[in-house]
Amino acid sequence: MKEGPAPTMFALLQAAHAVETRVEEALEKVDLSGAKFVERLTCVRSNITQLVDRLEADGLVRRVDDPDDRRSKRAEVTALGRKRQAAGAKQVEALEAKFTRTLSGVDSTTFRAALAALR
Amino acid sequence: MKEGPAPTMFALLQAAHAVETRVEEALEKVDLSGAKFVERLTCVRSNITQLVDRLEADGLVRRVDDPDDRRSKRAEVTALGRKRQAAGAKQVEALEAKFTRTLSGVDSTTFRAALAALR
DNA sequence: GAAGATTGAAGTCTCAATCTTT
DNA sequence: AAAGATTGAGACTTCAATCTTC
């Protein structure tokens, strides 16, 4: 019945998942999602298209033609978008503070070095 | 232009995302996905229904009526399912080994304690 | 009514194919 | 041909509603 302790790799994934859930919940308070808040650029183009679709539907962003390149569209953040972004940032900052407190007993340099090695 | 270093919280999420991508890629080699391999029970019921749908479509699982409770279905793993599971486990083990090697310079007890605190 | 499973709808992500513009 | 955006399809996840059985 060999069944060692849960590998560290899964402990990492589990911890990250828990943190991510908290981030999503915090952003939900201000009617945002993680994806909408981050507007990440580390994804495929079609994902951005759909994400901007949803942001535009929420009135947070407006598509504008790029005058310099007619293939391009610019996503212009609306006033509501800026307000929402600020509210989201506030939520995330609060979470970061709590995160830091939770890890107050840990040497952050070492911890971050370990995470960086895994990237 | 205050713009501190990327918070540790995001470093964690980023590292976990990188690791998860590698896990998915490894499982893809044996025609599995992370969800199909883990068959996690930490999700809502409707998710399980759909996951079993996909597993059944792949021939890895078979729905069987529960004789003791006519509301229930049992998901019986097929021979192919067991074979696939073993292949997936092999891939994951290899990744874990690499993961451990990458973190060989880190005190795993401390690292795991930090992760556990975040759960 | 509560517990099983399922369905429908929506968000997030990826890939392949397409269309326009450069 | 290469670079922009988009569309269509599929995987994964959640929630709300429904249906059957307990």
Side-chain angles (χ1 to χ4, degrees):
Chain A
M1 199 58 80
K2 94 175 157 88
E3 182 66 45
T8 304
M9 187 171 82
F10 288 122
L12 170 72
L13 296 181
Q14 194 173 12
H17 186 257
V19 169
E20 202 163 19
T21 298
R22 273 179 234 130
V23 172
E24 293 284 352
E25 283 170 353
L27 287 172
E28 227 170 80
K29 291 187 207 162
V30 295
D31 288 313
L32 278 177
S33 65
K36 284 175 183 166
F37 177 69
V38 173
E39 225 262 77
R40 78 166 82 185
L41 302 174
T42 62
C43 61
V44 299
R45 280 194 299 277
S46 63
N47 194 7
I48 297 177
T49 297
Q50 298 174 59
L51 183 49
V52 173
D53 281 348
R54 285 177 240 123
L55 287 169
E56 202 168 27
D58 290 354
L60 306 181
V61 134
R62 200 183 300 114
R63 274 185 173 86
V64 182
D65 288 327
D66 184 334
D68 297 339
D69 185 341
R70 275 187 301 181
R71 291 174 303 180
S72 288
K73 300 277 171 101
R74 314 293 302 268
E76 207 174 84
V77 182
T78 65
L80 177 60
R82 270 186 294 278
K83 198 178 300 178
R84 201 66 69 82
Q85 158 75 27
K90 207 166 183 173
Q91 294 291 332
V92 171
E93 275 166 33
L95 269 189
E96 277 170 14
K98 191 181 250 178
F99 182 97
T100 303
R101 242 175 290 132
T102 302
L103 256 47
S104 58
V106 179
D107 177 46
S108 76
T109 306
T110 309
F111 188 66
R112 294 183 57 127
L115 294 177
L118 295 170
R119 235 177 1 185
Chain B
M1 200 60 76
K2 95 174 157 83
E3 181 65 43
T8 304
M9 186 170 83
F10 288 123
L12 171 72
L13 297 181
Q14 195 174 12
H17 186 257
V19 170
E20 202 162 21
T21 298
R22 273 179 234 129
V23 172
E24 293 283 353
E25 284 170 352
L27 287 173
E28 226 169 83
K29 291 186 207 164
V30 296
D31 288 313
L32 278 176
S33 64
K36 284 175 182 166
F37 177 71
V38 173
E39 226 264 77
R40 77 167 84 185
L41 302 174
T42 63
C43 60
V44 299
R45 279 193 301 275
S46 63
N47 195 4
I48 297 177
T49 296
Q50 298 176 62
L51 183 49
V52 174
D53 280 348
R54 285 177 240 124
L55 287 169
E56 202 168 27
D58 289 355
L60 307 181
V61 134
R62 200 182 300 114
R63 274 186 173 86
V64 183
D65 288 327
D66 184 335
D68 298 338
D69 185 342
R70 275 187 301 182
R71 289 174 303 180
S72 288
K73 302 275 171 104
R74 315 292 301 268
E76 208 174 83
V77 182
T78 65
L80 177 60
R82 269 187 294 279
K83 199 178 302 179
R84 200 66 69 84
Q85 158 76 27
K90 207 165 182 174
Q91 294 290 332
V92 170
E93 275 165 33
L95 269 189
E96 277 169 15
K98 192 180 247 178
F99 182 98
T100 303
R101 241 175 291 132
T102 302
L103 256 47
S104 58
V106 179
D107 177 48
S108 76
T109 306
T110 309
F111 188 65
R112 293 182 57 126
L115 294 177
L118 294 170
R119 235 177 1 185

